[in-house]
Amino acid sequence: MTNHWIDIRNSDCILIMGSNPAENHPVSFKWVTEAMKRGGKLLSVDPRFTRTSSKADFYTALRSGTDIAFLGGMIKYILDNHKYFKEYVAEYTNAAFLVTDSYDFKDGLFSGYDPDKKEYDKSQWAFSKDANGVSKRDRTLQDPRCVFQLIKKHYSRYDLETVSSITGTPREDLQKVYKMYSATGRQGKAGTIMYAMGWTQHTVGVQNIRTMAIIQLLLGNMGVAGGGVNALRGESNVQGSTDHCILYHIWPGYLKTPNASLQTLAAYNEKFTPKTNDPLSANWWGNYPKYSVSLLKSFFGSKATKANDFGYDWLPKLEDGKTYSWLDLFDAMYRGQFTGFFSWGQNPAASGANANKTRVGLAKLDWMVNVNIFDNETGSFWKGPGMDPKKIRTEVFMLPCATSVEKEGSITNSGRWMQWRYKAANPPAQAWPDGQILMKLGEELQYLYKEKEKEVYPDPIVNLKWDYATHGEFDSHKMAKEINGYFLRDISVKGKHFKKGDLVPSFAYLQADGSTSSANWLYCNSYTNKGNMAARRKKEKSGIGLNLGWAWCWPVNRRIIYNRASVDKYGKPWDKEHPVIAWDPNAKGGKGGWVGDVPDGGWPPMLNADGTPNPKTKYPFIMKPEGHAHVFGPGRADGPFSEHYEPIECPVNKNPFSNQLVSPVAVIYSTNMDIYKSCDPKYPFVGSTYRVCEHWQTGVMTRWQPWLLEAEPQLFVEMSKELGKLKGINNGDKVVVESARGKVEAVAVVTIRLRPFQVQGSTVHQVGLPYHYGWVYPKDGGDSANLLTPSAGDPNTRIPETKAFMVNVKKG
Amino acid sequence: MSGKAFFIDTTVCTACRGCQIACKQWNQLPATKTQNWGSMQNPRDLSFDTYKVVRFEEHMAPNGKPVWYFFPDQCRHCVEPPCKETADDEAPGGIIIDSQSGAVLYTDKLKKMKAETVIEACPFNIPRAQEGAGYLSKCTMCVDRVHNGLLPACVKTCPTGAMNFGDRNKMVALSKKRLDEVNSRFPKATLTGLEDLRVFYLLASEPKDYYIYAKADALQSGMNRKMALKKIGRSLKDLSTEWGSISKLAS
């Protein structure tokens, strides 16, 4: 979230699309409800009328997988009807930037497409530069090559009729949503988006969110209270685990994982440190080497020296052009390309797309370690449906671990708040906290590598600084301090003197010369000489809900990121009622300073009080090399603007926007278990998966909880009355849902909350199932809905497309 | 009127069922074996082991859009409970009213009478008998918590402010305030229970759209002969008591 949970209450219009927070983030509805009590409007757009929809001022449905068409129509509406916030768009976004002539878009393809490699050459989507190497701009937004004119042209095709014909949403409903939401383009008004896996889990997942980001920028909704682009994370600490690099392509703090071709630290830093020739751009990522070197110092301590590139050689590198994400790992496992696997706090045999492929893949392993609090479909895969235990050689080790209330440490919520939690009880029997298991595993590896000198390449392991235990127990405070970072010798930075062993007060003090460490620069400032900031518990008494004294928020306790876009060029808040920050000329003894939230950099506003430009200022979007938010986003794998493409499995054979039916760069796989069927009469209905309030993820933590199981005992499939009639299925009947990859038994919930869609003149039915169940327990609960979903992915993130695929339903 | 009351604002209820689960947790009630029966509502009904259930009702509105009503069902803790009247006759001390909160509580003395009599007396179809044993159970207002200054478990857990609890007069005021606030959005919105109950519901539509027993009045047409007679009998009894007091005063 660019904003945070409490801030939702400041919104004038909340769009809930691609998520179902009343069911999956129930506490968030405290703030949605509060916003509504203050006069805010709630819009719910979902293929299915949910518990969230039941509370909305206005609800409408769209066919799964057509969000870009829906939102592209909103962009056209905003531009056609002049609903955009012109000053914000012209000054704070790259709408004014001129794009080179090499950028083009024709019949569903952006320029630079290589059909053999199925890849774009992104260098063709560049900005024109002047003699000083600074992007050319036309702040009047009139130049035909400026982003604003290009976006107008691009989305001009998304007219109501075409959008309605492909989404299945009635025209008048589209107009109503567009009108209500775009009313937040007025100065002082804010609209927010609450989205989750309903947007991300598509082959166009990233572009779904990009489309909304464009809308938010056009309406001036970024950086302001009650605005932002807000991803509702699916687990309490998904934000934290992402920040600390659970994904293969990043190191902690969103540093990049090096490629094999980057042979030296210098080459690595050079590649990932952006440059700018614009003196008014802060270009914060220009500090990259300070963060990468401090991370290496944290990994290897005194063993990391300037002479050995701070241990850069010891870290694994990605093969150039190769990907290692979830779908790739299980594809490689299925192909027998590796033999050992730690399944830690997860349940891939039920949670991953195309679960049958995953289950067969597990049988090809020599060993698997399953770290969890309960047995699950992954650890017991060898005795699951269709498996013959006698033929499976995989040795499975179950390591029981502590639950979240049985250990001390921090979690980082969706709003980026790092909150310290205390231990409430001891874990049962031999269960250990995850940190302890990791600690002991590392110690044993170091011991083994030291003992057996002939082991291949022991350096990364034996040189690892591995000192986070106290009296043999994992110490979460030591780890939290390591994450923050230390001064490693006595030095002076920015006129302040620090002693060796001092905790670094903030990332502005990190160094690229090995004198500081930080296991995650983004968390530098979270545990300082002043104490554990995440443990602070001071509630705000008045104000807009920032709660600066409660817990800690990255970066540097800033609660609303991009907040320097919440003020005009003089530093005055656009929204007087909900000021996030404001420039006070009398602050700091008359030197002037920002009040309110921690500002996105302390530089003064762009204009002085007399209207003259202030040369000391910086543009508000400091993480972008050019300092402007990206309406035109040339960094994505599938285009600088979004474009509607159908899901890999879809019910139509014609895309009304182009001859490109599916994303030209979508990720698909090629084993005999990767089967995709579009417009196949055997699988005529759109399927989607989701969660309910009463269960969590694959249900490993909730299916064993009798009260929750009592409330949602079994796999069900929701369908319309019309589809029920068509298939002779009554409410409560046992049915079979089948895709090209697998089938499940489920109870039919035949309801008015789903309706057939009119798509290109034909009736399209959609069904949906929760993915909380599995064969281990309860025995009559049904199996995983992911037996149905395809292993197809987004080209940027490689997230699986589990929210739109094709199925059949028949009476069981 | 003193004592406590619940105010249940269904206009902000999201049917997360935190209340239903918290009730089971605080009262340490076992889960019942359920099946999905084509609805999210589960358990399907109240039972001896289920004091609180969120009822789900879906309708098609005239504008062609669905509406989905959620009704957290529980004992209304009537100020003059009809169930208590039956027990006072047949099993004295079987049903008592907590003087501090006004909670209507069932005791094991209730075993002396037929469970059906108590069940039939309830205009809201709340009490449930234990199979075989004859004990009756229902919501206790978490009177053990309330006596210790805590909110009832269902209220404590509610994330949206649908479940409220406090001094009865304060809940009356809160109910009326919320009715005023939601009236423009829900012209048919109505409050139930303000006169004679300790549980007030704010409903976005007519009570019958939520649940047949959402409001006692909704029951009138469906009242069977036996219940009607009982009601007349009760009125006569009230009358005779009244006469008794009057003649006492006169003498």
Side-chain angles (χ1 to χ4, degrees):
Chain A
M1 291 169 90
T2 58
N3 294 44
H4 59 95
W5 293 113
I6 296 173
D7 181 64
I8 292 167
R9 79 179 192 206
N10 296 319
S11 195
D12 297 298
C13 190
I14 300 166
L15 174 60
I16 297 184
M17 187 169 170
S19 73
N20 178 11
E23 302 191 44
N24 302 327
H25 303 85
V27 180
S28 74
F29 244 71
K30 180 186 180 77
W31 307 112
V32 174
T33 305
E34 184 61 32
M36 293 176 81
K37 284 184 179 173
R38 295 171 181 210
K41 297 292 175 201
L42 176 62
L43 298 171
S44 164
V45 180
D46 196 301
R48 176 180 63 120
F49 186 95
T50 65
R51 290 182 237 184
T52 298
S53 316
S54 78
K55 294 276 109 33
D57 291 286
F58 187 73
Y59 162 78
T60 192
L62 86 173
R63 172 171 63 94
S64 268
T66 61
D67 302 76
I68 289 173
F70 192 106
L71 297 175
M74 174 128 63
I75 293 177
K76 178 171 163 56
Y77 180 93
I78 290 166
L79 295 171
D80 287 353
N81 296 287
H82 302 279
K83 297 290 186 185
Y84 53 95
F85 191 163
K86 190 167 177 208
E87 188 180 349
Y88 185 106
V89 170
E91 300 293 339
Y92 295 166
T93 79
N94 67 9
F97 287 33
L98 307 193
V99 175
T100 56
D101 289 341
S102 59
Y103 166 77
D104 198 6
F105 177 79
K106 271 191 204 132
D107 194 22
L109 289 174
F110 295 92
S111 51
Y113 185 62
D114 180 337
D116 296 330
K117 286 191 188 162
K118 283 185 71 182
E119 253 177 38
Y120 280 111
D121 170 11
K122 291 187 269 185
S123 68
Q124 300 210 13
W125 316 330
F127 297 116
S128 298
K129 301 275 172 84
D130 65 15
N132 298 322
V134 176
S135 308
K136 290 186 193 166
R137 291 150 205 180
D138 171 18
R139 302 274 189 204
T140 70
L141 308 178
Q142 297 302 311
D143 191 297
R145 289 305 289 177
C146 82
V147 166
F148 188 76
Q149 294 299 326
L150 293 176
I151 196 174
K152 257 187 169 171
K153 188 178 163 203
H154 187 83
Y155 292 100
S156 64
R157 298 165 299 133
Y158 288 74
D159 59 89
L160 285 173
E161 194 170 331
T162 315
V163 170
S164 175
S165 79
I166 197 73
T167 56
T169 311
R171 280 177 66 139
E172 57 276 19
D173 283 17
L174 290 170
Q175 265 177 310
K176 178 118 189 192
V177 173
Y178 297 168
K179 189 176 174 197
M180 284 176 79
Y181 196 74
S182 63
T184 64
R186 292 216 323 272
Q187 182 186 328
K189 295 287 171 190
T192 189
I193 170 66
M194 296 169 75
Y195 77 89
M197 300 305 172
W199 269 2
T200 58
Q201 290 183 345
H202 293 276
T203 45
V204 294
V206 166
Q207 294 292 357
N208 281 336
I209 293 137
R210 275 280 302 143
T211 319
M212 192 65 207
I214 292 171
I215 290 172
Q216 290 297 66
L217 290 171
L218 290 175
L219 298 175
N221 280 335
M222 297 306 294
V224 301
V229 171
N230 295 307
L232 316 183
R233 303 301 190 176
E235 299 189 19
S236 56
N237 202 16
V238 161
Q239 186 62 55
S241 57
T242 313
D243 299 339
H244 293 299
C245 90
I246 200 167
L247 302 172
Y248 82 92
H249 69 298
I250 45 173
W251 280 356
Y254 303 93
L255 302 178
K256 310 283 188 194
T257 312
N259 293 328
S261 59
L262 298 169
Q263 287 286 303
T264 63
L265 179 61
Y268 167 79
N269 280 335
E270 169 71 17
K271 165 109 177 166
F272 295 118
T273 307
K275 286 156 201 71
T276 181
N277 291 329
D278 189 333
L280 294 186
S281 176
N283 184 31
W284 196 265
W285 277 115
N287 294 307
Y288 196 97
K290 296 175 185 170
Y291 307 151
S292 60
V293 170
S294 294
L295 174 65
L296 290 167
K297 284 300 291 179
S298 167
F299 281 165
F300 299 114
S302 59
K303 299 286 171 56
T305 63
K306 197 157 190 227
N308 67 10
D309 254 2
F310 300 105
Y312 174 77
D313 287 354
W314 297 330
L315 283 163
K317 315 285 189 295
L318 306 173
E319 289 296 331
D320 290 65
K322 199 166 173 202
T323 50
Y324 302 80
S325 191
W326 178 282
L327 291 175
D328 304 307
L329 286 181
F330 287 97
D331 191 63
M333 187 190 287
Y334 178 79
R335 292 168 185 267
Q337 291 172 351
F338 61 89
T339 55
F341 176 51
F342 275 87
S343 176
W344 206 307
Q346 55 178 325
N347 187 15
S351 67
N354 200 359
N356 271 326
K357 181 182 174 187
T358 303
R359 292 175 186 188
V360 174
L362 294 170
K364 298 189 178 182
L365 297 168
D366 289 343
W367 57 265
M368 168 167 54
V369 180
N370 187 32
V371 189
N372 217 308
I373 60 173
F374 290 112
D375 183 23
N376 61 11
E377 285 69 25
T378 303
S380 286
F381 82 93
W382 49 274
K383 54 182 176 181
M387 294 283 171
D388 180 357
K390 283 187 209 130
K391 290 187 183 149
I392 293 168
R393 65 195 167 106
T394 315
E395 190 175 2
V396 181
F397 303 89
M398 171 78 191
L399 297 186
C401 59
T403 67
S404 59
V405 296
E406 292 162 350
K407 61 191 176 189
E408 186 176 5
S410 76
I411 66 110
T412 303
N413 72 11
S414 300
R416 296 168 288 105
W417 291 19
M418 175 195 186
Q419 307 192 80
W420 200 258
R421 289 179 171 183
Y422 301 93
K423 179 176 164 178
N426 285 322
Q430 291 175 292
W432 283 358
D434 296 298
Q436 178 73 353
I437 299 174
L438 277 165
M439 203 75 249
K440 293 290 173 195
L441 185 65
E443 284 171 6
E444 187 65 15
L445 281 171
Q446 286 194 320
Y447 169 77
L448 290 170
Y449 271 104
K450 278 175 191 159
E451 282 294 291
K452 300 181 182 174
E453 284 172 11
K454 283 180 189 166
E455 286 299 329
V456 178
Y457 201 42
D459 312 47
I461 300 293
V462 299
N463 289 325
L464 204 56
K465 186 172 88 72
W466 204 246
D467 55 356
Y468 312 115
T470 299
H471 307 304
E473 298 283 325
F474 172 74
D475 184 336
S476 51
H477 288 273
K478 276 189 179 167
M479 183 54 82
K481 287 178 191 170
E482 184 70 36
I483 288 167
N484 179 82
Y486 294 98
F487 288 100
L488 303 175
R489 54 177 188 254
D490 295 2
I491 54 165
S492 291
V493 188
K494 297 180 193 281
K496 284 191 190 170
H497 187 69
F498 298 97
K499 284 197 165 352
K500 182 182 175 179
D502 280 350
L503 289 156
V504 182
S506 99
F507 52 64
Y509 294 88
L510 292 175
Q511 300 298 309
D513 61 1
S515 58
T516 57
S517 72
S518 174
N520 190 334
W521 72 277
L522 212 46
Y523 280 73
C524 191
N525 183 237
S526 63
Y527 206 130
T528 66
N529 282 356
K530 289 180 184 164
N532 182 356
M533 298 294 138
R536 297 181 304 168
R537 290 295 181 270
K538 192 176 163 197
K539 283 190 192 175
E540 182 182 280
K541 290 201 175 68
S542 63
I544 61 165
L546 296 172
N547 285 286
L548 292 164
W550 178 281
W552 181 87
C553 178
W554 71 253
V556 287
N557 207 31
R558 181 175 305 135
R559 304 292 161 136
I560 297 179
I561 47 183
Y562 314 122
N563 57 25
R564 285 189 51 250
S566 72
V567 295
D568 65 14
K569 288 164 81 177
Y570 294 91
K572 292 197 185 97
W574 300 119
D575 181 354
K576 309 278 181 284
E577 269 181 64
H578 307 103
V580 184
I581 58 167
W583 180 259
D584 177 2
N586 302 317
K588 294 187 181 171
K591 279 199 286 179
W594 295 100
V595 292
D597 195 6
V598 178
D600 244 330
W603 303 283
M606 296 172 77
L607 298 179
N608 295 313
D610 60 5
T612 55
N614 188 335
K616 289 184 192 159
T617 192
K618 300 285 179 197
Y619 301 124
F621 287 86
I622 63 171
M623 301 311 281
K624 291 291 173 198
E626 305 270 7
H628 290 67
H630 276 192
V631 171
F632 184 85
R636 303 281 70 80
D638 42 2
F641 292 135
S642 60
E643 174 68 2
H644 169 72
Y645 303 112
E646 286 293 321
I648 286 296
E649 287 192 336
C650 62
V652 300
N653 50 28
K654 177 86 186 76
N655 178 353
F657 297 103
S658 74
N659 284 308
Q660 193 65 45
L661 184 65
V662 301
S663 165
V665 290
V667 175
I668 53 170
Y669 293 83
S670 57
T671 73
N672 59 351
M673 290 192 80
D674 295 294
I675 310 163
Y676 312 99
K677 298 280 184 193
S678 271
C679 294
D680 185 323
K682 275 169 77 182
Y683 308 106
F685 311 127
V686 178
S688 193
T689 63
Y690 41 78
R691 313 195 318 197
V692 297
C693 191
E694 296 77 6
H695 286 290
W696 207 57
Q697 309 290 54
T698 67
V700 173
M701 292 169 73
T702 50
R703 278 185 267 143
W704 301 92
Q705 217 303 332
W707 297 320
L708 297 175
L709 197 63
E710 178 189 38
E712 285 290 2
Q714 274 171 311
L715 178 62
F716 59 86
V717 54
E718 288 180 289
M719 66 184 74
S720 68
K721 299 244 181 205
E722 291 83 351
L723 180 57
K725 198 173 169 194
L726 184 72
K727 302 292 287 182
I729 295 167
N730 293 315
N731 196 26
D733 281 355
K734 275 225 167 100
V735 297
V736 174
V737 187
E738 190 170 8
S739 78
R741 295 156 296 276
K743 60 180 172 184
V744 290
E745 281 182 18
V747 177
V749 174
V750 182
T751 169
I752 55 168
R753 294 179 293 99
L754 271 156
R755 302 286 293 278
F757 296 98
Q758 289 305 310
V759 177
Q760 297 178 337
S762 304
T763 301
V764 172
H765 294 280
Q766 175 157 355
V767 304
L769 320 82
Y771 70 92
H772 298 300
Y773 299 93
W775 60 269
V776 168
Y777 186 83
K779 289 300 173 194
D780 61 350
D783 209 340
S784 172
N786 277 314
L787 295 167
L788 307 173
T789 55
S791 28
D794 177 280
N796 300 284
T797 59
R798 309 185 79 80
I799 197 169
E801 187 160 65
T802 57
K803 294 296 171 264
F805 51 93
M806 298 303 291
V807 296
N808 191 20
V809 185
K810 54 191 178 196
K811 232 171 157 163
Chain B
M1 206 181 300
S2 61
K4 302 287 183 187
F6 291 88
F7 165 50
I8 303 181
D9 183 351
T10 69
T11 68
V12 296
C13 172
T14 56
C16 73
R17 297 196 276 189
C19 56
Q20 184 180 311
I21 307 294
C23 177
K24 289 239 163 183
Q25 184 180 27
W26 178 254
N27 293 296
Q28 286 297 296
L29 296 168
T32 55
K33 177 65 188 166
T34 56
Q35 301 273 313
N36 188 308
W37 55 288
S39 169
M40 299 303 115
Q41 183 180 318
N42 241 327
R44 198 165 175 162
D45 199 1
L46 299 170
S47 71
F48 186 77
D49 292 322
T50 305
Y51 301 168
K52 177 143 191 162
V53 75
V54 179
R55 300 185 184 276
F56 291 62
E57 272 303 322
E58 57 193 47
H59 307 279
M60 194 57 86
N63 66 0
K65 306 265 182 190
V67 286
W68 207 1
Y69 292 130
F70 311 127
F71 188 79
D73 194 14
Q74 61 172 77
C75 173
R76 313 295 199 276
H77 296 279
C78 305
V79 174
E80 291 177 26
C83 63
K84 183 171 181 294
E85 282 180 37
T86 62
D88 286 351
D89 288 347
E90 298 182 36
I95 299 180
I96 57 172
I97 295 181
D98 172 52
S99 57
Q100 190 182 324
S101 63
V104 179
L105 302 169
Y106 289 4
T107 75
D108 55 3
K109 288 181 185 157
L110 207 50
K111 216 185 154 194
K112 289 181 193 151
M113 67 184 285
K114 271 174 74 180
E116 290 75 40
T117 315
V118 179
I119 292 167
E120 281 176 21
C122 175
F124 302 101
N125 189 29
I126 295 296
R128 293 291 186 275
Q130 190 180 25
E131 228 168 277
Y135 288 109
L136 280 162
S137 76
K138 63 161 196 69
C139 162
T140 66
M141 202 190 264
C142 282
V143 73
D144 46 353
R145 290 176 61 91
V146 173
H147 279 200
N148 286 286
L150 300 171
L151 288 169
C154 57
V155 177
K156 176 75 184 165
T157 201
C158 178
T160 63
M163 294 296 308
N164 303 275
F165 184 81
D167 291 341
R168 195 177 185 282
N169 52 358
K170 284 185 184 155
M171 290 297 111
V172 170
L174 180 61
S175 308
K176 289 179 176 166
K177 179 170 166 272
R178 280 295 294 155
L179 177 65
D180 280 351
E181 285 170 4
V182 305
N183 241 332
S184 59
R185 186 173 171 206
F186 304 112
K188 286 200 232 166
T190 170
L191 278 170
T192 70
L194 288 190
E195 296 80 20
D196 48 3
L197 307 177
R198 290 188 186 276
V199 178
F200 321 138
Y201 287 94
L202 173 56
L203 306 172
S205 184
E206 290 166 31
K208 68 173 169 48
D209 293 341
Y210 279 75
Y211 174 49
I212 178 175
Y213 296 106
K215 194 175 177 217
D217 288 351
L219 196 65
Q220 297 290 5
S221 57
M223 201 192 298
N224 64 29
R225 195 161 163 268
K226 191 176 163 196
M227 286 173 79
L229 283 172
K230 185 166 277 175
K231 193 162 185 191
I232 293 166
R234 216 157 40 216
S235 311
L236 288 173
K237 201 171 82 182
D238 289 349
L239 207 61
S240 63
T241 322
E242 222 165 293
W243 271 117
S245 341
I246 290 168
S247 36
K248 210 171 175 184
L249 273 176
S251 67

